[in-house]
Amino acid sequence: MQLLDGKYISEKLKTEIAQEAAEVLTQTGRKPHLVAVLVGHDGGSETYVASKMRNCEKVGFQSSLVRYEDDVSEEELLEKVAELNADAGIDGIIVQLPLPKHIDPEKVTEKIDHRKDVDGFHPLNLGRMQRNLPSFIPATPYGIMLMLQEYGIQTSGKHCVVVGRSNIVGSPMSILMARNANPGNCTVTICHSRTPDIKKYTLEADILIVAIGKKNFITADMVKNGVIVIDVGMNRETSTQTKSGYKLYGDVDFEKVAPKASWITPVPGGVGLMTIIGLLKNTLAAARKEVYP
Ligand code: GUN
């Protein structure tokens, strides 16, 4: 078993991104600028957004945080997005999900200028991605692709089973792995909450990507020997053993599955760190106007 080490790869790529950000500053006189919009005080969202801001600063980007309380109206949020769209000093905009129930996330996502949509959630970017055209790719799937690339994992002709069909991970991941590209060219199966006997499919996986949000959902009896396992799970449980007060668990029972795997991502220290890289690379591409010249 070999580890797909998100810490090692993300640090290496951050060094490259910092060099490229410095070039942007020299050429344009300003840093790549990411704005995050955070509504409410969800613990997970607070942590993720703080980490995004911190990492932007680390690689020499400018980052700004716009905060609203839970009771902000949809109208006010949409107006703010329009204002950020029109601001030439801003390269990338993300609105952290989930949003409170009275706000339609689809309306907000579609309001973001596709040229600043560094989350890659806008339908235009998703459509372009599916057609293999230049686009912003959602950060977590992008981070996973970079990880596969960095470790030289061969994907062509393999059977990739994706567990989970979310807009943020499972669905875009399945498109990317099936595309005529490298990484890609897989035969893809998507399993989800309505799939009977998920094990029947996971046992057939050469590459297993799990984004279902259930601690230790994948057990050793569900995988074949030599499988490549990508664990996207970020299941937080309160703990007295850690400084932060919580502990992170993946969707895969790492201890039992790792001995059967050829490659596997740990949690923490795997995909989570790569998500940030996807976001930073999209923001850099937005500042350089690479996707939409
Ligand atoms: N919530 C969970 N993951 C993400 C993400 O990648 N982007 C945004 N905006 N919200 C999220």
Side-chain angles (χ1 to χ4, degrees), residues 220-248:
D221 59 310
M222 294 171 78
V223 302
K224 69 177 178 189
N225 283 322
V227 64
I228 296 162
V229 180
I230 310 289
D231 186 352
V232 190
M234 296 268 255
N235 305 296
R236 284 155 55 98
E237 284 189 3
T238 51
S239 165
T240 51
Q241 294 162 13
T242 60
K243 231 184 354 186
S244 62
Y246 68 87
K247 209 168 166 215
L248 211 54

mmCIF file of all heavy atoms in Angstrom, residues 220-248:
data_model
loop_
_atom_site.group_PDB
_atom_site.id
_atom_site.type_symbol
_atom_site.label_atom_id
_atom_site.label_comp_id
_atom_site.label_asym_id
_atom_site.label_seq_id
_atom_site.Cartn_x
_atom_site.Cartn_y
_atom_site.Cartn_z
ATOM 1 N N ALA A 220 -13.577 -3.243 4.479
ATOM 2 C CA ALA A 220 -12.614 -4.067 3.729
ATOM 3 C C ALA A 220 -13.293 -5.071 2.799
ATOM 4 O O ALA A 220 -12.780 -5.357 1.704
ATOM 5 C CB ALA A 220 -11.694 -4.789 4.704
ATOM 6 N N ASP A 221 -14.432 -5.582 3.190
ATOM 7 C CA ASP A 221 -15.123 -6.585 2.363
ATOM 8 C C ASP A 221 -15.746 -5.983 1.101
ATOM 9 O O ASP A 221 -16.262 -6.714 0.256
ATOM 10 C CB ASP A 221 -16.227 -7.269 3.190
ATOM 11 C CG ASP A 221 -17.245 -6.258 3.704
ATOM 12 O OD1 ASP A 221 -16.818 -5.236 4.281
ATOM 13 O OD2 ASP A 221 -18.457 -6.457 3.505
ATOM 14 N N MET A 222 -15.703 -4.651 0.977
ATOM 15 C CA MET A 222 -16.334 -3.988 -0.173
ATOM 16 C C MET A 222 -15.354 -3.641 -1.284
ATOM 17 O O MET A 222 -15.755 -3.059 -2.298
ATOM 18 C CB MET A 222 -17.042 -2.695 0.288
ATOM 19 C CG MET A 222 -18.221 -2.964 1.204
ATOM 20 S SD MET A 222 -18.864 -1.452 1.926
ATOM 21 C CE MET A 222 -19.815 -0.791 0.565
ATOM 22 N N VAL A 223 -14.054 -3.960 -1.095
ATOM 23 C CA VAL A 223 -13.061 -3.593 -2.118
ATOM 24 C C VAL A 223 -12.244 -4.811 -2.535
ATOM 25 O O VAL A 223 -12.099 -5.764 -1.773
ATOM 26 C CB VAL A 223 -12.095 -2.480 -1.619
ATOM 27 C CG1 VAL A 223 -12.862 -1.234 -1.218
ATOM 28 C CG2 VAL A 223 -11.209 -2.960 -0.469
ATOM 29 N N LYS A 224 -11.705 -4.735 -3.774
ATOM 30 C CA LYS A 224 -10.845 -5.839 -4.219
ATOM 31 C C LYS A 224 -9.376 -5.488 -3.953
ATOM 32 O O LYS A 224 -9.035 -4.314 -3.754
ATOM 33 C CB LYS A 224 -11.084 -6.126 -5.696
ATOM 34 C CG LYS A 224 -10.613 -5.049 -6.655
ATOM 35 C CD LYS A 224 -10.853 -5.511 -8.100
ATOM 36 C CE LYS A 224 -10.433 -4.452 -9.091
ATOM 37 N NZ LYS A 224 -10.826 -4.763 -10.470
ATOM 38 N N ASN A 225 -8.540 -6.476 -3.975
ATOM 39 C CA ASN A 225 -7.107 -6.255 -3.774
ATOM 40 C C ASN A 225 -6.552 -5.366 -4.879
ATOM 41 O O ASN A 225 -6.907 -5.531 -6.045
ATOM 42 C CB ASN A 225 -6.351 -7.592 -3.777
ATOM 43 C CG ASN A 225 -6.523 -8.325 -2.464
ATOM 44 O OD1 ASN A 225 -6.546 -7.707 -1.394
ATOM 45 N ND2 ASN A 225 -6.667 -9.636 -2.537
ATOM 46 N N GLY A 226 -5.702 -4.416 -4.497
ATOM 47 C CA GLY A 226 -5.047 -3.555 -5.478
ATOM 48 C C GLY A 226 -5.828 -2.308 -5.832
ATOM 49 O O GLY A 226 -5.389 -1.494 -6.654
ATOM 50 N N VAL A 227 -6.973 -2.112 -5.214
ATOM 51 C CA VAL A 227 -7.815 -0.955 -5.529
ATOM 52 C C VAL A 227 -7.096 0.363 -5.190
ATOM 53 O O VAL A 227 -6.264 0.407 -4.267
ATOM 54 C CB VAL A 227 -9.159 -1.051 -4.758
ATOM 55 C CG1 VAL A 227 -8.954 -0.989 -3.250
ATOM 56 C CG2 VAL A 227 -10.153 0.033 -5.208
ATOM 57 N N ILE A 228 -7.409 1.397 -5.962
ATOM 58 C CA ILE A 228 -6.931 2.761 -5.660
ATOM 59 C C ILE A 228 -8.096 3.476 -4.985
ATOM 60 O O ILE A 228 -9.180 3.554 -5.558
ATOM 61 C CB ILE A 228 -6.509 3.493 -6.952
ATOM 62 C CG1 ILE A 228 -5.309 2.773 -7.591
ATOM 63 C CG2 ILE A 228 -6.186 4.964 -6.674
ATOM 64 C CD1 ILE A 228 -5.084 3.127 -9.045
ATOM 65 N N VAL A 229 -7.887 3.973 -3.769
ATOM 66 C CA VAL A 229 -9.001 4.530 -2.984
ATOM 67 C C VAL A 229 -8.807 6.033 -2.747
ATOM 68 O O VAL A 229 -7.771 6.467 -2.223
ATOM 69 C CB VAL A 229 -9.120 3.826 -1.611
ATOM 70 C CG1 VAL A 229 -10.279 4.413 -0.813
ATOM 71 C CG2 VAL A 229 -9.315 2.324 -1.787
ATOM 72 N N ILE A 230 -9.796 6.807 -3.152
ATOM 73 C CA ILE A 230 -9.805 8.249 -2.907
ATOM 74 C C ILE A 230 -10.954 8.535 -1.935
ATOM 75 O O ILE A 230 -12.122 8.388 -2.290
ATOM 76 C CB ILE A 230 -10.043 9.044 -4.221
ATOM 77 C CG1 ILE A 230 -9.101 8.598 -5.341
ATOM 78 C CG2 ILE A 230 -9.969 10.553 -3.967
ATOM 79 C CD1 ILE A 230 -7.666 8.980 -5.188
ATOM 80 N N ASP A 231 -10.596 8.947 -0.734
ATOM 81 C CA ASP A 231 -11.595 9.167 0.327
ATOM 82 C C ASP A 231 -11.848 10.670 0.490
ATOM 83 O O ASP A 231 -10.988 11.409 0.949
ATOM 84 C CB ASP A 231 -11.059 8.566 1.637
ATOM 85 C CG ASP A 231 -12.078 8.618 2.767
ATOM 86 O OD1 ASP A 231 -13.142 9.238 2.600
ATOM 87 O OD2 ASP A 231 -11.788 8.022 3.829
ATOM 88 N N VAL A 232 -13.052 11.096 0.102
ATOM 89 C CA VAL A 232 -13.387 12.522 0.147
ATOM 90 C C VAL A 232 -14.112 12.871 1.458
ATOM 91 O O VAL A 232 -14.462 14.017 1.699
ATOM 92 C CB VAL A 232 -14.234 12.910 -1.101
ATOM 93 C CG1 VAL A 232 -14.391 14.419 -1.226
ATOM 94 C CG2 VAL A 232 -13.609 12.379 -2.380
ATOM 95 N N GLY A 233 -14.330 11.879 2.300
ATOM 96 C CA GLY A 233 -15.094 12.087 3.534
ATOM 97 C C GLY A 233 -14.462 13.112 4.469
ATOM 98 O O GLY A 233 -13.245 13.164 4.626
ATOM 99 N N MET A 234 -15.306 13.976 5.034
ATOM 100 C CA MET A 234 -14.864 14.972 6.025
ATOM 101 C C MET A 234 -15.881 14.935 7.150
ATOM 102 O O MET A 234 -16.636 15.886 7.341
ATOM 103 C CB MET A 234 -14.864 16.375 5.415
ATOM 104 C CG MET A 234 -13.895 16.572 4.287
ATOM 105 S SD MET A 234 -12.352 17.172 4.928
ATOM 106 C CE MET A 234 -12.462 18.857 4.428
ATOM 107 N N ASN A 235 -15.954 13.835 7.859
ATOM 108 C CA ASN A 235 -16.961 13.670 8.910
ATOM 109 C C ASN A 235 -16.369 14.143 10.233
ATOM 110 O O ASN A 235 -15.422 13.553 10.741
ATOM 111 C CB ASN A 235 -17.392 12.204 8.971
ATOM 112 C CG ASN A 235 -17.873 11.695 7.616
ATOM 113 O OD1 ASN A 235 -18.865 12.171 7.095
ATOM 114 N ND2 ASN A 235 -17.151 10.757 7.026
ATOM 115 N N ARG A 236 -16.944 15.233 10.752
ATOM 116 C CA ARG A 236 -16.416 15.837 11.985
ATOM 117 C C ARG A 236 -17.154 15.282 13.193
ATOM 118 O O ARG A 236 -18.372 15.275 13.231
ATOM 119 C CB ARG A 236 -16.635 17.351 11.953
ATOM 120 C CG ARG A 236 -15.677 18.099 11.043
ATOM 121 C CD ARG A 236 -16.288 19.405 10.579
ATOM 122 N NE ARG A 236 -16.717 20.248 11.662
ATOM 123 C CZ ARG A 236 -16.040 21.265 12.165
ATOM 124 N NH1 ARG A 236 -14.866 21.556 11.666
ATOM 125 N NH2 ARG A 236 -16.513 21.998 13.137
ATOM 126 N N GLU A 237 -16.392 14.829 14.170
ATOM 127 C CA GLU A 237 -17.006 14.408 15.437
ATOM 128 C C GLU A 237 -16.300 15.137 16.563
ATOM 129 O O GLU A 237 -15.080 15.325 16.519
ATOM 130 C CB GLU A 237 -16.853 12.892 15.627
ATOM 131 C CG GLU A 237 -17.818 12.102 14.763
ATOM 132 C CD GLU A 237 -17.834 10.613 15.107
ATOM 133 O OE1 GLU A 237 -17.138 10.192 16.054
ATOM 134 O OE2 GLU A 237 -18.542 9.885 14.393
ATOM 135 N N THR A 238 -17.073 15.541 17.569
ATOM 136 C CA THR A 238 -16.440 16.238 18.700
ATOM 137 C C THR A 238 -15.519 15.256 19.421
ATOM 138 O O THR A 238 -15.782 14.056 19.487
ATOM 139 C CB THR A 238 -17.491 16.790 19.679
ATOM 140 O OG1 THR A 238 -18.388 15.732 20.001
ATOM 141 C CG2 THR A 238 -18.267 17.946 19.070
ATOM 142 N N SER A 239 -14.412 15.808 19.914
ATOM 143 C CA SER A 239 -13.414 14.972 20.582
ATOM 144 C C SER A 239 -12.707 15.771 21.667
ATOM 145 O O SER A 239 -12.461 16.968 21.504
ATOM 146 C CB SER A 239 -12.391 14.495 19.541
ATOM 147 O OG SER A 239 -11.251 13.989 20.182
ATOM 148 N N THR A 240 -12.375 15.103 22.745
ATOM 149 C CA THR A 240 -11.620 15.772 23.821
ATOM 150 C C THR A 240 -10.129 15.584 23.600
ATOM 151 O O THR A 240 -9.307 16.161 24.305
ATOM 152 C CB THR A 240 -12.007 15.179 25.190
ATOM 153 O OG1 THR A 240 -11.901 13.752 25.100
ATOM 154 C CG2 THR A 240 -13.422 15.560 25.594
ATOM 155 N N GLN A 241 -9.770 14.777 22.586
ATOM 156 C CA GLN A 241 -8.351 14.449 22.355
ATOM 157 C C GLN A 241 -7.613 15.477 21.503
ATOM 158 O O GLN A 241 -6.393 15.455 21.423
ATOM 159 C CB GLN A 241 -8.242 13.095 21.638
ATOM 160 C CG GLN A 241 -8.705 11.927 22.479
ATOM 161 C CD GLN A 241 -8.988 10.710 21.599
ATOM 162 O OE1 GLN A 241 -8.628 10.676 20.434
ATOM 163 N NE2 GLN A 241 -9.656 9.730 22.170
ATOM 164 N N THR A 242 -8.341 16.359 20.826
ATOM 165 C CA THR A 242 -7.672 17.288 19.921
ATOM 166 C C THR A 242 -7.850 18.740 20.394
ATOM 167 O O THR A 242 -8.804 19.056 21.107
ATOM 168 C CB THR A 242 -8.249 17.181 18.486
ATOM 169 O OG1 THR A 242 -9.642 17.506 18.542
ATOM 170 C CG2 THR A 242 -8.081 15.797 17.912
ATOM 171 N N LYS A 243 -6.907 19.573 19.936
ATOM 172 C CA LYS A 243 -6.932 20.995 20.306
ATOM 173 C C LYS A 243 -8.171 21.697 19.756
ATOM 174 O O LYS A 243 -8.792 22.519 20.412
ATOM 175 C CB LYS A 243 -5.669 21.665 19.724
ATOM 176 C CG LYS A 243 -4.911 22.449 20.768
ATOM 177 C CD LYS A 243 -3.697 23.225 20.294
ATOM 178 C CE LYS A 243 -3.247 23.077 18.880
ATOM 179 N NZ LYS A 243 -2.041 23.705 18.495
ATOM 180 N N SER A 244 -8.525 21.332 18.519
ATOM 181 C CA SER A 244 -9.659 21.993 17.860
ATOM 182 C C SER A 244 -11.005 21.590 18.484
ATOM 183 O O SER A 244 -12.002 22.252 18.270
ATOM 184 C CB SER A 244 -9.660 21.627 16.378
ATOM 185 O OG SER A 244 -9.828 20.231 16.237
ATOM 186 N N GLY A 245 -11.021 20.478 19.223
ATOM 187 C CA GLY A 245 -12.275 20.025 19.829
ATOM 188 C C GLY A 245 -13.063 19.077 18.946
ATOM 189 O O GLY A 245 -14.165 18.667 19.288
ATOM 190 N N TYR A 246 -12.518 18.759 17.771
ATOM 191 C CA TYR A 246 -13.183 17.745 16.945
ATOM 192 C C TYR A 246 -12.141 16.891 16.234
ATOM 193 O O TYR A 246 -10.969 17.256 16.129
ATOM 194 C CB TYR A 246 -14.146 18.387 15.948
ATOM 195 C CG TYR A 246 -13.490 19.194 14.869
ATOM 196 C CD1 TYR A 246 -13.052 18.590 13.702
ATOM 197 C CD2 TYR A 246 -13.303 20.570 15.007
ATOM 198 C CE1 TYR A 246 -12.430 19.322 12.708
ATOM 199 C CE2 TYR A 246 -12.687 21.313 14.012
ATOM 200 C CZ TYR A 246 -12.252 20.684 12.874
ATOM 201 O OH TYR A 246 -11.634 21.400 11.895
ATOM 202 N N LYS A 247 -12.595 15.760 15.746
ATOM 203 C CA LYS A 247 -11.730 14.841 15.014
ATOM 204 C C LYS A 247 -12.381 14.543 13.671
ATOM 205 O O LYS A 247 -13.610 14.490 13.572
ATOM 206 C CB LYS A 247 -11.579 13.553 15.835
ATOM 207 C CG LYS A 247 -10.277 12.864 15.600
ATOM 208 C CD LYS A 247 -9.971 11.759 16.584
ATOM 209 C CE LYS A 247 -8.819 10.967 16.000
ATOM 210 N NZ LYS A 247 -8.854 9.576 16.269
ATOM 211 N N LEU A 248 -11.530 14.375 12.656
ATOM 212 C CA LEU A 248 -12.036 14.175 11.295
ATOM 213 C C LEU A 248 -11.965 12.695 10.915
ATOM 214 O O LEU A 248 -10.941 12.049 11.145
ATOM 215 C CB LEU A 248 -11.157 14.997 10.352
ATOM 216 C CG LEU A 248 -11.761 15.578 9.100
ATOM 217 C CD1 LEU A 248 -12.986 16.415 9.396
ATOM 218 C CD2 LEU A 248 -10.721 16.416 8.364
#
